[in-house]
Amino acid sequence: MSADEGVMNIVLIGFMGTGKSAVGRLLAAELRFHYLDTDQLIEKAEGRKIAEIFKTDGEPYFRRLETETLQALQDYDNFVISTGGGMVLKEDNIALLKAIGPVVLLKAGPKTIYDRIKSEKHRPLLAVPDPLAEIKKILAYRGPFYDRAADRAVDSSDLTPEAVAKEIITWLRSRSS
Ligand code: S3P
C-alpha cells in the first residue's frame, strides 16, 4: 500500500480494548506509514492525562477536543490514526473521520474487552463498580454509531493483532486493485 495505490491514511475506530493501538502500530510498520493516536495528541496538547481532563473539565470538554483534533488531521497523509473509543458519537466526527481515509472498525465481545482492560486504570468511563456491565451497556448504545462510521469491520476477539493487521491490509489492497 502506498500513496500511488490511492490510500493516504487509515483510520481505526472501535471500543476501548479492541486492539486499535496494537493493530495500528503494526499496520503503520507494515505500510511504512506514520502512526498517530488521537488520545495521545490530546494529552500532549493539554499537558495532562485523559483521566485528568475528564475529572477536571468533564466529558463534553474532552469530546470538543476530539473534534478539534480530527479537524487538525484533515491534511495529513500516510498516517495510521487510532481514535478514542467515543470518537464516533458525534455526527460531525464521523464525516471528519471519513474525510481522513478508509475507516476500519475493530470489534470484540464484552468479555474479551473486559479481560483485556481489567488491569488498566487509565480509562475514566470504566472506573465503575461493575465494569463488565458498563462495557455491555456502552457497547449496545454505540453499536449503531460504530457501524455507521465504518467502511470495514474486523472482529479481533479471537485474532492476534498481527492477524487483524493482515486482514486489514488484504482488504486495503483489494480496494486499490
Ligand atoms: C473513551 C475511550 C478512550 C479515551 C477516553 C474515552 C471512550 O480511548 O478516548 O477514555 O469514550 O470510549 P481508547 O478507546 O483508546 O481507550
Side-chain angles (χ1 to χ4, degrees), residues 43-104:
E43 288 187 339
K44 208 165 151 207
E46 289 280 303
R48 53 193 175 141
K49 296 284 176 198
I50 304 284
E52 181 62 34
I53 299 172
F54 267 69
K55 202 168 104 197
T56 311
D57 293 295
E59 187 175 343
Y61 176 79
F62 174 74
R63 298 296 175 204
R64 282 202 294 282
L65 296 178
E66 286 195 309
T67 302
E68 285 169 21
T69 305
L70 287 188
Q71 284 163 342
L73 292 174
Q74 294 295 306
D75 295 330
Y76 279 51
D77 281 335
N78 293 3
F79 276 80
V80 176
I81 298 168
S82 289
T83 58
M87 190 62 96
V88 295
L89 293 171
K90 279 197 204 164
E91 204 58 45
D92 286 359
N93 289 2
I94 296 184
L96 288 166
L97 288 168
K98 284 184 176 290
I100 291 171
V103 179
V104 179

Side-chain angles (χ1 to χ4, degrees), residues 16 20 39 50 54 62-63 66 84-86 123-125 142:
M16 299 169 255
K20 289 169 291 179
D39 284 342
I50 304 284
F54 267 69
F62 174 74
R63 298 296 175 204
E66 286 195 309
R123 292 179 163 102
L125 291 178
R142 288 187 181 171

